[in-house]
Amino acid sequence: MRSTPAGTVRMIRTVRALMAAILAVSLGCATTGTSGSTAATDGADGAELAAVIDAVKQAVQDAETRDVAGFPPLKKVALKLQTTVTKSLGGEVRYLVASVSASGSAETASTLEIEWTPAETSRHRTVAAEQSLRDSLAQAIHLAKTGIAHAAQGEPPLSLKSISIDLKFEVATAGSAGASVKILPVGVTGTGSISRTKVHTVALTFAP
């Protein structure tokens, strides 16, 4: 058997070492890229505060455009959110709302409460209004109002004066860094066990 020259052996070893190094770097870049992409798109730390508030305001406004006969107007909205403060790899401090996929714990959760007086909304009656409301929180609000109004028509009838409706909901994130959110009333997601640090509340007060 002819032996391989020592110089050729060293060259083969060098080429193999270079190929192994290139492969390791390539795998490392691929792993880092995937992790970075996931962190940037799945909102694992929570949802953007402004996006959540806007979504709740829009749901309340949509629900108010569907009139329920005999129901007093909406006077106050109180929003209670479970929040957390996180710091990105770039050093940016972010104030986020706990989402279904967030990894925060009870020790890192804080509470933010906001109250506002809703603007006047033009109402109109529709057939099967709850089905025409695309947002599930708006549907839940409308169904609660409809149920109360029907109950008030019993014997003896009730005069609806001051009414409070509290709805608990979860936040699901989508898009880049949790900027796009979905508001899901508790029970819609079908999750069996829900952490209290990921459940939020919107309280609606109706009065003449």
Side-chain angles (χ1 to χ4, degrees), residues 111-133:
T111 301
L112 173 67
E113 297 189 36
I114 306 171
E115 288 188 4
W116 70 87
T117 302
E120 290 281 340
T121 304
S122 58
R123 300 182 178 187
H124 61 275
R125 299 198 66 183
T126 59
V127 177
E130 61 276 7
Q131 296 180 8
S132 65
L133 293 169

Side-chain angles (χ1 to χ4, degrees), residues 62-69 123-136 138-143 145-146:
D62 289 349
E64 279 299 285
T65 62
R66 271 55 177 179
D67 186 37
V68 175
R123 300 182 178 187
H124 61 275
R125 299 198 66 183
T126 59
V127 177
E130 61 276 7
Q131 296 180 8
S132 65
L133 293 169
R134 292 175 296 175
D135 186 274
S136 55
Q139 292 180 27
I141 295 171
H142 180 77
L143 288 172
K145 292 171 61 177
T146 303

